[in-house]
């Protein structure tokens, strides 16, 4: 499993890809595991996430990109901070935001910056 999900005491879901990349055959498991937390959220009390990105320079499959876009379309997903992304992933996140019509994802250099924004 190339990811680890952990809900913090602060109510922020941490998603750590640990230097790995989510592959096409793993995306269904990720979506199922993510929905455990998303299903507990509401649009009034949305899920906040902190993602520690995986390996740089690796392209994500269309299935993975579609899954991320679908998840971001859900109004129960609130602020999503991401750290450790390369140029490709920054462009991908821009496309996801455009496709979903949302502005809930921010990119940060450090976990401290990301957490400060999530807690605002």
């Amino acid at each position: 499993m190339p990811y680890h999900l952990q809900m913090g005491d602060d109510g922020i879901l941490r998603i750590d890809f640990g230097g790995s990349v989510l592959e096409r055959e793993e995306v269904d498991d990720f979506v199922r595991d993510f929905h455990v937390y998303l299903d507990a959220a509401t649009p009034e009390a949305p899920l906040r996430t902190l993602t520690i990105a995986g390996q740089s320079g690796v392209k994500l499959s269309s299935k993975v990109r579609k899954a991320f876009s679908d998840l971001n379309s859900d109004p129960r997903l609130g602020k999503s901070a991401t750290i450790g992304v390369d140029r490709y992933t920054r462009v991908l996140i821009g496309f996801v935001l455009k496709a979903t019509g949302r502005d809930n994802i921010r990119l940060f250099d450090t976990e401290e910056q990301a957490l400060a924004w999530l807690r605002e």
Side-chain angles (χ1 to χ4, degrees), residues 26-110:
E26 300 159 332
V27 72
D28 292 333
D29 291 337
F30 176 79
V31 169
R32 182 194 66 239
D33 293 345
F34 188 83
H35 263 280
V36 169
Y37 301 98
L38 188 60
D39 290 344
T42 65
E44 298 76 31
L47 177 64
R48 296 172 295 154
T49 65
L50 170 64
T51 301
I52 301 168
Q55 214 172 34
S56 65
V58 177
K59 307 293 188 240
L60 299 175
S61 74
S62 61
K63 183 176 181 179
V64 173
R65 294 190 312 263
K66 171 99 169 77
F68 287 158
S69 182
D70 289 347
L71 288 172
N72 199 59
S73 295
D74 194 311
R76 297 173 296 172
L77 181 61
K79 288 182 171 181
S80 296
T82 303
I83 59 174
V85 297
D86 60 8
R87 178 176 290 241
Y88 167 78
T89 306
R90 288 178 183 274
V91 171
L92 174 64
I93 290 170
F95 286 139
V96 167
L97 290 172
K98 212 172 257 199
T100 60
R102 301 195 66 202
D103 188 27
N104 62 320
I105 301 174
R106 295 281 188 280
L107 308 174
F108 297 92
D109 294 324
T110 69

Side-chain angles (χ1 to χ4, degrees), residues 12 14 102 112:
I12 297 171
R14 283 149 175 84
R102 301 195 66 202
E112 292 76 24

